[in-house]
Amino acid sequence: MNASIRLGVAAALAFVTVGCTAAPDEPPPPRPERGTIKVGVMPTADAAPLFVAIEKGYFEQEGLEVQPVTATGAGAMLPQIEAGVLDLGQTDYVTTILAAEHGKRLKIVGASAQAGPAGYALVAAKDSKIGSVRRLKGKTVAVNNLMGAGMLRVIAMLKDAGLDRDDVTFVEKPFPDMPAMLAAGKADAALLAEPYVSTGAAQALLRAVPDTVPGRFTDLPTSGWVTTDKWRSEHPATLAAFRRGLAKGLRAAADRKEVEAVLPAYTKITAAAAPNVSLGAVPTAVDPGRLQRVADLMRQHGYVKSSLDVRALIAEP
C-alpha cells in the first residue's frame, strides 16, 4: 500500500469511528426518506469504495439500496442529476465548477478521489511516433468529457510545451473505449484513467507521452459526490445514510484486495489485471484549499471567466 493510500485510510478510520458510531444512549439515526437511490459513477478505479460498500451490504445496513448507474463522465451525469434521474453522482470537480459558474444549483456532499502519481496519463498507441507533447500539434486527442478535467490536464501540458488548445483537435470518448480507439488509429493520443492505463500498458497497446512537468496534478482533488441543493435539503436522512455507508466502504477499501475484487465487475478488466492497477489517495472530506487550486487552474486556462470561491459549493457534513 503506498503512502497516499495509507494516509487516506487513516483518515477514513478516524471518520468512521468518530462520525458513524453512536453512543449507547443516543437514539438511532432517522430512516432514509427514500429506500432506494440511483447514484451515477464513472467506470474508473476512483469509484471502488462505493462498489465495496455495495458488495459488503453497508448501505443495506443503513436502510438504503444504492443502484449504481455508469456514465461516461460528469458532462453526461450532471443533467441527469438535475432532472432527478440520478439522486447523486461521482462527478469530476472541473465539470462541477463549470456548471456552478453557469448557475447550476449543485452541492458537493463528499469527496471521492484525489490524483495519485499514476492515476491518469496522456498516452499514445505503442507504435506511435509521438514522443513528446510538442508532437501533438495538428493531432487528435481523446478525452472522456469535452471541457472536463481530462481536457484541462491536456491544455496545461500543451501550454508548457509552447502549444495552444487550438493546436489539437479534442474528441470525446469513454475511458474503456480509448485503448481500442488509439490502436485503430482513430485518435493520436488520449488522457486515460486507471485501470485502463495499467491494462493498456500490460497488453502492449499503449505508452505514456512524457509530461514536461511530472506530478503537476498529484494530490489535486479529482472528483466528488454531487447532488442538487434541492435534493440535499429534501433528503437529509437519505444523504446521511449514504455518507455512513460510503464511509464503511472507504474503511474496507483500505485493503487493496477488496478493491481488486470489485474492479472487474464495473470496469470490465480481468481479475488477473486488477493487482497491477495504480490506486490514488482516498480522501474522506473535501479540502477547500486543494479544491480552490482546481478552480484557479480553470481560471488560468480560460475555463471560467472569473474567480470562484469553492466554499460556496461545499455542503456542510
Side-chain angles (χ1 to χ4, degrees):
M1 185 183 297
N2 64 36
S4 60
I5 296 175
R6 285 197 298 270
L7 289 173
V9 169
L13 290 172
F15 176 85
V16 172
T17 303
V18 175
C20 299
T21 304
D25 57 343
E26 290 183 0
R31 297 286 296 178
E33 297 87 359
R34 300 186 62 175
T36 301
I37 59 172
K38 292 184 177 181
V39 178
V41 293
M42 290 181 278
T44 66
D46 293 344
L50 178 84
F51 287 90
V52 171
I54 293 171
E55 181 68 21
K56 290 189 166 295
Y58 294 145
F59 293 116
E60 186 178 354
Q61 293 171 12
E62 301 295 336
L64 191 62
E65 178 186 354
V66 171
Q67 298 178 350
V69 179
T70 302
T72 57
M77 203 182 302
L78 285 178
Q80 297 184 65
I81 294 173
E82 284 188 280
V85 177
L86 297 174
D87 298 290
L88 302 102
Q90 174 212 13
T91 72
D92 77 70
Y93 286 128
V94 170
T95 306
T96 302
I97 292 170
L98 190 59
E101 195 205 33
H102 285 83
K104 305 299 183 183
R105 297 181 63 82
L106 301 170
K107 284 294 184 182
I108 299 169
V109 297
S112 172
Q114 181 175 301
Y120 297 82
L122 181 64
V123 299
K126 190 71 174 179
D127 59 356
S128 171
K129 295 181 180 180
I130 298 173
S132 68
V133 176
R134 287 190 60 83
R135 296 291 298 273
L136 288 175
K137 187 171 183 176
K139 305 298 185 182
T140 299
V141 179
V143 293
N144 73 311
N145 263 354
L146 294 176
M147 294 302 290
M151 185 169 163
L152 179 62
R153 288 166 178 263
V154 178
I155 289 172
M157 295 170 73
L158 291 172
K159 182 176 180 180
D160 286 341
L163 301 177
D164 186 76
R165 73 164 73 182
D166 295 331
D167 287 323
V168 306
T169 299
F170 287 99
V171 295
E172 195 170 84
K173 199 72 173 178
F175 285 131
D177 298 341
M178 287 182 185
M181 185 182 192
L182 292 172
K186 295 180 179 179
D188 299 294
L191 197 289
L192 197 56
E194 283 286 39
Y196 311 105
V197 176
S198 296
T199 55
Q203 295 167 10
L205 295 175
L206 309 173
R207 62 174 178 76
V209 178
D211 189 354
T212 56
V213 186
R216 74 171 76 222
F217 291 103
T218 299
D219 294 334
L220 273 185
T222 55
S223 64
W225 299 102
V226 174
T227 189
T228 63
D229 198 29
K230 183 175 184 291
W231 191 94
R232 179 185 68 96
S233 63
E234 291 179 351
H235 304 88
T238 307
L239 178 57
F242 174 78
R243 283 170 159 165
R244 290 193 300 270
L246 184 63
K248 295 175 185 177
L250 288 166
R251 180 181 181 180
D255 182 350
R256 184 186 169 96
K257 293 296 183 183
E258 297 287 357
V259 175
E260 292 174 9
V262 299
L263 280 175
Y266 73 96
T267 65
K268 308 305 180 185
I269 67 169
T270 65
N276 299 318
V277 174
S278 176
L279 301 177
V282 185
T284 58
V286 182
D287 184 326
R290 285 181 172 172
L291 186 56
Q292 189 63 53
R293 288 172 57 199
V294 176
D296 294 344
L297 193 63
M298 293 172 65
R299 177 74 175 89
Q300 177 185 345
H301 293 290
Y303 263 51
V304 292
K305 296 180 180 179
S306 58
S307 299
L308 173 72
D309 186 346
V310 298
R311 290 175 295 182
L313 283 174
I314 304 170
E316 293 294 328

